[in-house]
Amino acid sequence: MKLSTRGRYGTRLLLELALHSGDGPVQLKEIAQRQDISLGYLEHLVTPLIAAGMVRSTRGAHGGVWLAKSPWEIKLSEVVGLLEGSTAPVDCLNDPEACPRSDFCATRDVWAEVKEAMDGVLESTTLQDLVERQKSKQKPTEAMYHI
Amino acid sequence: MKLSTRGRYGTRLLLELALHSGDGPVQLKEIAQRQDISLGYLEHLVTPLIAAGMVRSTRGAHGGVWLAKSPWEIKLSEVVGLLEGSTAPVDCLNDPEACPRSDFCATRDVWAEVKEAMDGVLESTTLQDLVERQKSKQKPTEAMYHI
DNA sequence: ACTTTGTTGAGTATATTTGTCAACAAAAGG
DNA sequence: CCTTTTGTTGACAAATATACTCAACAAAGT
């Protein structure tokens, strides 16, 4: 039941964008460095987000990517959905024909409950929630001690 | 976020055993046929369950495997734990040193909430719950129409 | 023009999953 | 005993998915 790097890196990418929301384009290269993700891989992660209209981009000097919506409007369920596909722990939840037992399988019901439980959390968490959580975690910098 | 065949097949195996709880040994070969799982693979799945004391076994003619406890006493969280390992969607929940960002990572908190949500369902579901669910799903057999 | 950035697609190394197979061990029956 | 039946173990391998890399390209700036 592990999340792949797509979901993990992708969420960190979007949190970075949310932290800079309204500041104009952020370069993928910067994010790659700060988040320690290879630039080439990050490019592939941002593609489906752009296609879905969650992120916008521009090329050329001073280009970069940014959130197309406000961080309040982006739920983690959308993010995970775009990057990992469904949260269903078993394929038969999305497609009952994936398994001939779907009609009378008792275990399938439990996996459905597990999915609902996960979705509940992801539906109720937005990028803004992550931003606020991140800000409260921010390590005090050296500068903050010299006010 | 998919469950592997270990978790899926293993749960079906245990449901079979729960349905025959108290009936003495059930042969792995039977279960393999009914559940359409290769015998060789099933053998590997049952090993950790035996090691954990959840299942018992005997060899030889009329041998087989059976539940070591009553179906009420076996929670799905234990089953998934044994077969899939932790339900943590990210490694840093089990081992904070798996990622240098653990201390100040906002996304980690959300994955922890997701894990708690899943665990809640798995903790509150026992093999007996599966048995009852399965019985209520049982297709009426031909014989049942001739009482 | 030229540089900087994002975009796309092909290719690949690695890891994980999902098995197979064969040798072995123990229980039961004759 | 001896044979058959079953579970046990470990080595191995095929298939798949993951996590990239790289190079060619496209567009935006200067």
Side-chain angles (χ1 to χ4, degrees):
Chain A
M1 294 295 284
K2 288 284 180 293
L3 215 56
S4 75
T5 53
R6 289 177 62 86
R8 289 186 283 125
Y9 292 0
T11 307
R12 276 159 51 189
L13 159 68
L14 285 165
L15 173 53
E16 281 273 351
L17 297 187
L19 285 166
H20 294 92
S21 185
D23 298 355
V26 183
Q27 290 188 22
L28 284 180
K29 187 163 63 174
E30 281 181 47
I31 297 177
Q33 285 169 357
R34 271 204 298 271
Q35 292 290 330
D36 198 31
I37 302 170
S38 88
L39 176 59
Y41 196 43
L42 208 49
E43 290 161 353
H44 285 296
L45 296 184
V46 87
T47 301
L49 303 176
I50 292 171
M54 184 179 287
V55 166
R56 294 185 57 185
S57 66
T58 185
R59 310 183 192 198
H62 308 303
V65 300
W66 65 94
L67 286 189
K69 300 192 260 181
S70 101
W72 284 273
E73 297 174 302
I74 302 180
K75 294 187 278 190
L76 279 194
S77 52
E78 305 173 56
V79 176
V80 173
L82 284 171
L83 292 171
E84 298 266 343
S86 163
T87 54
V90 288
D91 287 332
C92 59
L93 293 180
N94 299 318
D95 171 20
E97 311 216 348
C99 177
R101 300 164 189 282
S102 296
D103 285 342
F104 50 94
C105 178
T107 66
R108 180 170 181 259
D109 293 4
V110 182
W111 307 136
E113 283 180 28
V114 169
K115 173 181 159 54
E116 292 307 315
M118 295 177 50
D119 287 351
V121 173
L122 297 176
E123 282 281 325
S124 66
T125 308
T126 68
L127 283 186
Q128 183 61 25
D129 294 325
L130 280 184
V131 166
E132 281 157 21
R133 220 184 264 263
Q134 185 66 68
K135 284 184 176 166
S136 75
K137 274 176 186 275
Q138 209 72 266
K139 286 180 180 168
T141 61
E142 191 62 21
M144 292 170 69
Y145 290 117
H146 297 284
I147 299 173
Chain B
M1 294 296 283
K2 288 284 181 292
L3 214 56
S4 74
T5 54
R6 288 178 62 86
R8 288 186 281 124
Y9 293 179
T11 307
R12 276 159 52 189
L13 158 68
L14 286 165
L15 173 52
E16 282 273 351
L17 296 187
L19 285 166
H20 294 92
S21 186
D23 298 356
V26 183
Q27 290 189 22
L28 284 179
K29 188 163 62 176
E30 282 180 47
I31 298 177
Q33 286 168 356
R34 271 204 297 271
Q35 293 290 329
D36 197 30
I37 302 170
S38 88
L39 176 59
Y41 196 43
L42 208 49
E43 289 161 353
H44 284 299
L45 296 185
V46 87
T47 301
L49 302 176
I50 292 171
M54 183 180 289
V55 167
R56 295 186 56 185
S57 66
T58 185
R59 310 183 192 199
H62 308 301
V65 299
W66 65 94
L67 286 188
K69 301 192 260 182
S70 98
W72 284 273
E73 296 174 303
I74 302 180
K75 293 187 278 190
L76 246 52
S77 54
E78 304 172 56
V79 176
V80 173
L82 285 171
L83 293 171
E84 299 264 345
S86 162
T87 54
V90 288
D91 287 332
C92 59
L93 293 180
N94 299 318
D95 171 21
E97 311 215 348
C99 176
R101 300 163 188 282
S102 295
D103 286 342
F104 51 93
C105 179
T107 67
R108 180 170 181 260
D109 294 3
V110 182
W111 307 137
E113 284 180 28
V114 169
K115 172 180 159 54
E116 293 306 315
M118 295 177 50
D119 286 351
V121 173
L122 297 176
E123 282 281 324
S124 66
T125 309
T126 68
L127 283 187
Q128 183 62 25
D129 294 324
L130 280 184
V131 166
E132 281 156 20
R133 221 183 262 262
Q134 184 67 68
K135 285 184 176 166
S136 74
K137 273 175 186 278
Q138 209 72 264
K139 286 180 182 169
T141 60
E142 191 63 19
M144 292 170 70
Y145 289 118
H146 297 286
I147 301 173

